[in-house]
Structure formats: structure tokens, C-alpha cells
Amino acid sequence: MRASKILSVLVDNKPGTLFRVTHLVRLMRLNIEGLTLGVTNGGDTCRMTFTLNGDDRTVEHVARQLMKVIDVIEAHTYGPQEVTARELALVSLKKFDPIQFGEEERQRLNVIDRSTAGVVVQIVGTAGEIDEFVRRAGESNVIDIARTGVAALPKEKQNA
Amino acid sequence: MSGAQALIEALKREKVEYIFGMPGGANLPFYDALWDSNIKHILTRHEQIAAHMADAYGRVSRRAGVCSATSGPGATNLVTGIATAFADSSPVVAITGQVPRGMTGRNAFQETDVVGVLTPVTKYTLQPLSAADVPSAIRKAFHIATTGRPGPVLVDVPKDVQQETAEVTFPESVEIRGYRSKAPLDPQDVERAADLLVRAKRPLLFGGGGIRISDASQPFRAIAELLMTPVVTTLQGKGTFPEDHPLSLGPIGMHGRAEANKLVSECDALLAVGVRFSDRSTGTFSEFCKDAMIIHIDADPTEFNKNKAVNLHILGDANEVLVSLYSAITRRISKKGEDNPWLKRVNEVREEMKSIPAYRDSYADLSGPRIVKKMREILPPDAILTTGVGRHQMWCEIHYQVLRPRTWITSTGLGTMGFGLPAAVGAKLARPDVPVVDLDGDGSFVMTEQALATAVEQNIPLISVVLNDRSLGMVEQWQRLMYNRHYIGVKFNGSPNFVKLAESYGAEGRTVGSLDEFARVLKDGLSSQTQMVIEVPVSPEEDVFPFMPPGKGIKDTVYGPPKESAIF
């Protein structure tokens, strides 16, 4: 079945590792729909979170083969239900009227820039919540969008 | 000391004897530092040849073979050789020169992103960016290339790093966090494997290149003899179990032995050691050993369940696992007898297969099968045979018995034509005490024939037997059997005169007109200690059988030529 899968990879924080990882993703003809990465462990390692569109078998094949890549410390795949995931988006709008949104949704929003051309709104939420915000803001109202892609941690890890 | 001197000193500490390669603009400081060293440079005429030589040297010697090239075209010429070593898990360290750091990304003269190019076909790549970083890069490269599942490692050194001087220290050992070359063996897995094997009614051993790599032939054989289990191998694993042993069935696969292909489908327990279940060995994955319990032993955990789902996998070095598996079995049983229904069945299949067309004695005097059988008669058991890729290689798979490990050096994973002659040079330097013969086809031979120049120049004795059918024979066979005899792009109308070709390099050239003459000339060549090319004219029409057609299961193996023109 084709669906979004999360591939979480912990690597040594040094040049070239993203290239080594994405080589395998490309080899298996997977499209990267989201990618976040940032240093962890005081700069020692880097966690990459890929959102990939592909069947389970292919994504798992990539995760397993990644364990052979010398700069990779860990690689795991997760279904959307197995992780806690958040994404940040900056949405540039011609007009922004907070009244249009409910109380709960407004808490996720933050106006970070106002200019004569429009308003830049920051939203943090699940990928679905961001999609919903863009829909409600109105397609013709949107000037541009920059999404970070999701950062995700497995649910069992937080409980442990 | 300079980065180049540090490079040479680090190589000396790795006990490197030979560097196969070619100099050029970006690695000149490295070559200059060789001037004062006792490492011998073996000049090739193409960098691909250097990589194949280093690869074969690695496969035979158990140590990493070293090749070197300049930046740009020198480095890209290495690619086929490095990919060949990668596909067959061979320890190679490739050292390339690179444009100076400040020129990176400016499309400098002979600048190629060789780290980018080679990353997919190497175990690792390193690029030391200061002279002080050179020693640890080399230590890491050798450690990674030779431990765990071996493979090629690239060290790309910018020219100004070779030139700059720095205080350098040489580490004895290096820490590489993401790299685990050895995993602790789980004793429970071994006990379970022993239970499965002892309980099995029709067990079979399946050995691959991993047995050669970990020198596990002895415990592998001991287990076979203890359980009285027949043994099959991959093409790469040929010779890890002596093929003249009564329990040997030979290789399985697309051109495996008929009895091996037949019986692997009948076993109820398969002990697969150091194999990767390649499609060329197994045919359709899902059909392979469908009803058997499969135990898979490998040093590379990413091989488990990659192509074939198995019942039990054991991570570890083959030798270590097999030694403890042997003792686990001896705690359960003493030696099994020869009188059991499975061995009776094995003998029955052997008898039945004796009459298949592929095993007939009616081959022409000068034909692949008779030539390789004659070579086996003449060559001593420890002689090393290297091959190109094509029908000659497949005839060896079927008809040439390999008796000792590390005496069969062939490109299986990548199937690289042109491997045989350079491999013979590398093998001979690794084992100067044994005869080395390259069996080639004319198509393969002409791809890297200039390795003869190196052999003559360095006075490296070897023999190249070239089966000349003036065709890309294996492709022709496929066009005959599967493409309606449409012979497109396979016939050579401009082949060289191989005798004159050899002579022009300063080697000896012979052509033979009969099997007896071939035997005489081969014996001459073995005693002459020269470089000799023996051309054997053969028919392009002689196809290789048995043949498991591509995309089919191992049960669909065809034992002889079909009656109709197109069968598959």
C-alpha cells in the first residue's frame, strides 16, 4: 500500500551524510515529501526525519540497508499512527482575519510579519492541521507557503 | 612531513606491498613520495585494470589491495573496477588525487566529484582535508575495507593536502561509531540451528563467498561430513568446499550443476552460509526452497530477509559460527551414516543426470567444456584460475572442479567482462608460488588486454587461455534461444590475430588446432614461466547448459538444447 511513512535516521554530524542516506532513498525510487534535520546530542549527531511516499516494504528495505551505511547510527520506519509529529509552516497571506478561525486553532497561529503586501502567519501543527489552515485561509488569499516537513519521535520512546 | 609522505608512511604501516595504478597531475606529490619507499608500484595502462588487479590481490591474499589514480578521468576509470570489488565484497583501498581544495567546485581541470561518483559502489569514502588527517583516514580505510563484510574504500586526497606539511601522528586504532564489524554470537541461535539440522530428513549445505572471506572451509566441511549432508555452493562460493568431495554437488544457479539445481529444490533444511540469495543463484525468490527451513549465517545483517525470507538467521563471522555450530551438533549426535534415504536420493539424481545432454562427452574437441576439463587435469590443485565473464566462465562453473578455496577468482556479482587478465596479475603477485591461469573469452579479453603490457614489464608469469568464437557468445546464446536468432551486435568481424597481439606485447602467443595440442601448449606455458596467450578457436554455436532461463525458478532448469529455435 502506498502511504506516507516516516523514516527516522540518526547519523554522525558531518558533511556528506545526507548524500549517503538520500542515495538509498533515490535508488528505491521514493519521493521525499518532507525532510527535517537538526543536530542533537550537543552537536555530535544529527537526526533526519523523512516523510516518504512509498509502500511499506520499500521504505523498510531502505531503513534496513541504511544500517550498512557507516555514518548511520540508527534507522527506523514508522507509520503515521506510531509517532508524535509536528510541522511548522509560514504562510504569506494577502489578508488575515483571526476571527475566521476558532479559539483552538488560533492558539496554533502567530503573526510574525506584517507589511503592506500582506501578513506572514506561522502555524505549528500536524500536517493535516496545516492543510486545513491553508484551506480555510482561502487558496486565492495565499501568496506563498514554506513548510518545514514533520519532525517526529516514536510514541513508545516518550513513554519509556 | 608532507601529506603525501604521511600517505606513504601510513600505507607502509598497513604493510602494503604493491600499489596498482597510474600517476597524473593531481597525485604527483603522492607518486613523488613513493620514490623513497619500498612499496612497489605496478604501472597499468588503464585505471580499471589497476582496480581489478587490486581486487584480485585482495581476494587471494586476505589483505586489502591498493590502487591509485589521478583526479577526473583517472578516478572515473576506476569506477567499473571498484563496483566489481563492491559487488563481490572484496577488500580494496582506492587512493585518488583531487584538485586543490581552493579549486573545488570551480570545474577545475580534471575535477570530478569522485566521492559523489563512488559513494554508491563503495563501503565508505574518505576525504582528508589536511595533512594531519591523512594517517587516520588511511587507518580507517584499511579497517573498514578488511573487516566485517569486506569492500572497497575510497580515499580522495586533494593535491594541496598532499603538498602541505604538518605534524602528523599515526593512530594504531580508530573509533568509527556507526560501524560494527563484529557482533557477539547468540549461542541460543546456534543451538536452534543445530536442532533444526539434526532433525532434518533432507538437509543441504549452501556455501557462498562468505566462507572464503572468513576462511571457514574447514568447519563447513566438518559439518557436512558429520551430518553426511550434500553441499551446493554459489558461483562465488565455488571451491569453498572441495568439488571432488563425494558430498559435493557443485554450484546452483542459472548455469549451475543439474544435480545441484534439482536437489536444492528437494531439501527440507538449508544451511546457507555467506550467501546473499542472488537472483542468479536462486531464480525466482519465492519459489526457491519453498518447503525448506532455511538457516542463514552472514556477517552482514542487512542481507537477512533481503531477497529471501528465512526461518532463522545468525549474525556473525562464518568461521566462528560454524565452529560453535559444529560442537553444538556433536553434543546431539555422533557422525551420521551413509545409509539413509536422502543420500540414496542424492545418488539416484546423480545417476539420472549423468545422461543429460549437457554432460555428454560428444562436445567438439575444441570446445569450452572439454578445454576446461583438460585444464583441470593439467593444473595442480592449488593453481589459481581467474576468468572473464561469459560462456567460458559458465563452462567453468559447470565443468571445472575447484579444489581449494581462493583458487577461483571471478566476477560474479557485477559480471564484469575484462576482469580475468588483470585479476591474474593481481592474483600472481599475491601468490607467486602457484601457477595462475586466466580463462577468457575473446570478448572479455580484448576489453583489458593491455594488462599484458604490465605482466611483461613486471615479469609476472601467467597464461591466458582465450576461447575465441569471434562473438559475444553468451549474448549470442540468448539471442538464439530467446530472441529468434536475431544476432544483433554480437559478431566480431575485426578480431585481432591473438598470436601476433601477444607477441607485440612481448608475450608468447600460440594457437591450437586440437585438444592434445592445447594440453601440450598449456604444459609448455606452465613450465616456461613467461606470459603466454593461448588462443583456442571454438564454435559460436555451442550453448551453455544446464540453463535456468531468466525470470524462472530453479525447478525450471533446462538440461540441453531445445528442439525449436526459440524456447523461452
Side-chain angles (χ1 to χ4, degrees):
Chain A
M1 199 189 82
R2 287 186 81 80
S4 285
K5 291 276 285 182
I6 302 288
L7 172 67
S8 175
V9 191
L10 187 69
V11 299
D12 274 328
N13 181 25
K14 61 173 153 188
T17 47
L18 181 61
F19 178 75
R20 292 177 203 274
V21 173
T22 51
H23 150 62
L24 270 162
V25 172
R26 182 203 57 77
L27 176 71
M28 297 312 290
R29 303 184 190 97
L30 293 169
N31 188 39
I32 300 171
E33 297 188 329
L35 168 60
T36 63
L37 61 87
V39 294
T40 56
N41 259 350
D44 206 25
T45 57
C46 175
R47 176 161 310 275
M48 303 173 173
T49 307
F50 290 83
T51 307
L52 300 173
N53 193 279
D55 62 84
D56 292 2
R57 222 187 114 81
T58 308
V59 178
E60 271 151 30
H61 178 88
V62 170
R64 268 207 305 274
Q65 295 303 310
L66 277 174
M67 287 313 294
K68 196 152 58 180
V69 176
I70 285 168
D71 294 334
V72 171
I73 299 160
E74 283 176 20
H76 301 284
T77 62
Y78 303 103
Q81 308 307 319
E82 296 170 287
V83 289
T84 303
R86 289 293 179 274
E87 182 173 6
L88 181 146
L90 302 181
V91 186
S92 167
L93 299 169
K94 290 175 191 158
K95 290 191 309 256
F96 175 59
D97 182 3
I99 302 300
Q100 193 183 341
F101 301 94
E103 177 65 27
E104 201 186 324
E105 194 165 10
R106 276 207 299 271
Q107 283 176 9
R108 284 195 285 270
L109 306 177
N110 208 350
V111 173
I112 58 169
D113 188 36
R114 275 179 202 281
S115 67
T116 48
V119 180
V120 176
V121 179
Q122 170 194 289
I123 171 167
V124 177
T126 64
E129 285 162 352
I130 293 172
D131 290 344
E132 176 61 16
F133 168 77
V134 173
R135 197 187 63 75
R136 299 266 302 273
E139 224 169 280
S140 58
N141 188 27
V142 173
I143 301 167
D144 216 345
I145 306 176
R147 295 174 73 146
T148 59
V150 298
L153 281 176
K155 283 179 177 161
E156 79 268 22
K157 260 209 171 150
Q158 301 150 16
N159 299 339
Chain B
M1 72 172 59
S2 73
Q5 287 165 331
L7 206 44
I8 298 296
E9 178 58 30
L11 293 176
K12 275 193 213 161
R13 286 167 188 249
E14 300 295 339
K15 302 192 168 52
V16 171
E17 298 176 283
Y18 300 105
I19 294 173
F20 304 94
M22 298 185 76
N27 64 359
L28 273 174
F30 170 66
Y31 272 77
D32 190 52
L34 261 177
W35 181 261
D36 294 325
S37 92
N38 53 5
I39 298 174
K40 191 165 181 196
H41 184 254
I42 307 291
L43 175 63
T44 62
R45 304 299 190 266
H46 191 290
E47 290 84 353
Q48 180 189 342
I49 289 173
H52 288 326
M53 287 177 182
D55 175 349
Y57 178 90
R59 295 187 202 205
V60 174
S61 72
R62 303 171 173 80
R63 292 157 53 189
V66 180
C67 56
S68 75
T70 190
S71 63
T76 56
N77 276 351
L78 285 176
V79 174
T80 301
I82 297 299
T84 304
F86 186 61
D88 287 342
S89 310
S90 176
V92 169
V93 172
I95 298 169
T96 49
Q98 184 55 277
V99 299
R101 285 165 292 184
M103 296 300 285
T104 305
R106 294 168 187 265
N107 301 116
F109 176 65
Q110 295 194 330
E111 180 186 8
T112 295
D113 173 17
V114 67
V115 171
V117 171
L118 280 175
T119 291
V121 291
T122 47
K123 194 170 169 189
Y124 200 52
T125 56
L126 293 131
Q127 197 181 49
L129 291 177
S130 71
D133 286 344
V134 166
S136 71
I138 292 291
R139 187 73 275 275
K140 278 181 189 168
F142 278 79
H143 176 64
I144 291 169
T146 55
T147 54
R149 179 181 183 171
V153 176
L154 169 75
V155 186
D156 187 42
V157 193
K159 188 174 185 180
D160 57 335
V161 172
Q162 298 170 46
Q163 288 164 322
E164 75 171 13
T165 55
E167 287 271 321
V168 296
T169 54
F170 294 87
E172 290 286 323
S173 62
V174 280
E175 275 286 309
I176 307 159
R177 178 169 39 193
Y179 182 59
R180 288 157 294 271
S181 62
K182 250 185 134 151
L185 180 58
D186 185 340
Q188 281 196 322
D189 284 346
V190 175
E191 297 300 323
R192 283 170 62 206
D195 281 338
L196 285 172
L197 287 168
V198 168
R199 251 186 267 138
K201 292 200 165 58
R202 299 183 304 281
L204 194 70
L205 264 57
F206 177 30
I211 294 181
R212 162 174 59 80
I213 290 165
S214 84
D215 288 315
S217 285
Q218 249 188 342
F220 188 66
R221 178 176 177 164
I223 289 172
E225 290 174 345
L226 181 64
L227 293 169
M228 287 307 287
T229 307
V231 177
V232 298
T233 67
T234 63
L235 180 54
Q236 192 56 241
K238 202 173 152 66
T240 54
F241 187 80
E243 291 193 285
D244 59 348
H245 192 286
L247 289 170
S248 170
L249 298 175
I252 58 166
M254 181 169 275
H255 291 295
R257 293 281 300 181
E259 53 274 47
N261 279 4
K262 176 91 176 163
L263 286 161
V264 78
S265 308
E266 294 184 14
C267 72
D268 68 347
L270 184 77
L271 179 68
V273 188
V275 305
R276 58 190 175 87
F277 296 98
S278 120
D279 56 294
R280 280 295 188 273
S281 289
T282 65
T284 317
F285 298 133
S286 56
E287 290 296 309
F288 180 73
C289 284
K290 213 162 70 177
D291 305 316
M293 297 288 283
I294 302 179
I295 305 161
H296 188 191
I297 298 170
D298 208 279
D300 178 357
T302 67
E303 283 302 330
F304 298 134
N305 301 309
K306 184 187 79 179
N307 288 350
K308 179 73 191 168
V310 298
N311 303 84
L312 173 65
H313 55 76
I314 305 177
L315 178 62
D317 174 71
N319 188 54
E320 191 191 336
V321 178
L322 291 178
V323 165
S324 50
L325 181 58
Y326 177 82
S327 56
I329 297 169
T330 53
R331 284 197 297 277
R332 286 165 175 79
I333 56 156
S334 52
K335 192 175 179 334
K336 273 199 184 175
E338 286 177 39
D339 187 30
N340 69 63
W342 175 225
L343 283 187
K344 280 204 187 89
R345 172 67 187 149
V346 169
N347 289 329
E348 188 183 298
V349 171
R350 277 196 162 126
E351 278 305 310
E352 185 190 316
M353 292 301 173
K354 274 183 183 160
S355 60
I356 65 167
Y359 293 169
R360 72 190 191 271
D361 287 325
S362 57
Y363 286 106
D365 214 24
L366 290 183
S367 64
R370 298 197 69 172
I371 290 291
V372 303
K373 282 188 203 169
K374 185 56 79 182
M375 286 171 68
R376 181 68 287 173
E377 277 171 35
I378 293 169
L379 295 175
D382 58 0
I384 294 173
L385 185 71
T386 68
T387 78
V389 168
R391 288 195 297 190
H392 65 281
Q393 180 193 28
M394 299 297 103
W395 278 314
C396 281
E397 172 165 21
I398 300 163
H399 300 289
Y400 182 90
Q401 290 192 331
V402 181
L403 307 176
R404 309 256 170 94
R406 296 181 193 267
T407 62
W408 164 247
I409 306 297
T410 189
S411 163
T412 61
L414 203 68
T416 306
M417 291 173 69
F419 178 77
L421 184 58
V425 173
K428 183 68 184 178
L429 288 172
R431 280 294 304 275
D433 56 320
V434 300
V436 176
V437 178
D438 157 44
L439 177 71
D440 241 319
D442 56 322
S444 274
F445 182 82
V446 297
M447 282 197 176
T448 52
E449 66 180 43
Q450 62 284 39
L452 266 183
T454 302
V456 169
E457 191 168 75
Q458 302 288 345
N459 198 18
I460 297 163
L462 54 83
I463 297 169
S464 214
V465 176
V466 181
L467 302 187
N468 183 8
D469 59 8
R470 294 172 169 267
S471 169
L472 296 169
M474 181 53 90
V475 182
E476 181 178 325
Q477 170 169 343
W478 283 40
Q479 290 181 343
R480 181 158 39 250
L481 297 178
M482 291 177 275
Y483 294 89
N484 230 355
R485 292 176 182 262
H486 291 170
Y487 300 128
I488 304 291
V490 292
K491 300 288 189 187
F492 291 172
N493 292 317
S495 286
N497 175 322
F498 283 89
V499 173
K500 286 186 182 168
L501 176 79
E503 286 170 356
S504 71
Y505 278 112
E508 284 186 65
R510 306 283 182 86
T511 186
V512 297
S514 71
L515 193 59
D516 287 341
E517 191 186 0
F518 170 72
R520 276 197 307 277
V521 171
L522 180 61
K523 284 176 192 162
D524 273 2
L526 287 169
S527 56
S528 76
Q529 295 287 305
T530 56
Q531 301 76 38
M532 183 185 277
V533 176
I534 308 173
E535 182 208 26
V536 184
V538 295
S539 161
E541 300 270 322
E542 188 69 73
D543 292 335
V544 185
F545 287 98
F547 181 26
M548 169 176 67
K552 297 279 178 77
I554 205 156
K555 280 183 182 159
D556 306 316
T557 302
V558 180
Y559 299 124
K563 292 197 175 71
E564 307 87 49
S565 59
I567 50 163
F568 308 126

